[in-house]
Amino acid sequence: MCKVTSSAVNAKKPTRSVESKAERVANAKTLRKADEPRAERVTKQERVLALLSQSEGASIEEMMQATGWQQRSVRGFLAGTVKRKLGFSLNGLRDFGAVIRRAFKIDII
């Protein structure tokens, strides 16, 4: 059997960092101090509810852009979460200007 040598086989492996595995694990497990401020996280649900609570409401396209959801996901969120779980009254608005725009608005009582 003939042994084939190539430059790829004989190439040097990249050198590893001198940091040991134990040091890497310890650094990964280092907890954040309690006095450090924590960044506020805005959920997609909060984004959509903020859009819907505006005086002009929000279109499905605007909600899709704000959340990255598909159209069917936005409609499902409106029907399932906004109407059923949260109990908001959802009103459809139409604007017959130059561009036909259909928007939704929640009534906060």
Side-chain angles (χ1 to χ4, degrees), residues 77-100:
F77 175 79
L78 293 176
T81 303
V82 174
K83 289 176 77 174
R84 289 191 193 118
K85 290 184 181 175
L86 298 176
F88 288 122
S89 173
L90 191 63
N91 297 321
L93 308 170
R94 287 192 180 190
D95 185 7
F96 294 105
V99 176
I100 296 177

Side-chain angles (χ1 to χ4, degrees), residues 33-98:
K33 293 182 181 177
D35 58 343
E36 289 180 9
R38 191 170 187 177
E40 280 287 322
R41 192 177 89 159
V42 179
T43 64
K44 292 179 181 181
Q45 177 175 338
E46 291 170 343
R47 288 182 201 166
V48 173
L49 292 176
L51 287 172
L52 291 171
S53 62
Q54 296 174 356
S55 61
E56 67 273 1
S59 67
I60 289 181
E61 290 79 21
E62 291 169 341
M63 291 180 265
M64 287 170 55
Q65 190 174 27
T67 59
W69 291 342
Q70 296 288 324
Q71 183 178 8
R72 62 180 178 262
S73 301
V74 172
R75 288 194 317 261
F77 175 79
L78 293 176
T81 303
V82 174
K83 289 176 77 174
R84 289 191 193 118
K85 290 184 181 175
L86 298 176
F88 288 122
S89 173
L90 191 63
N91 297 321
L93 308 170
R94 287 192 180 190
D95 185 7
F96 294 105

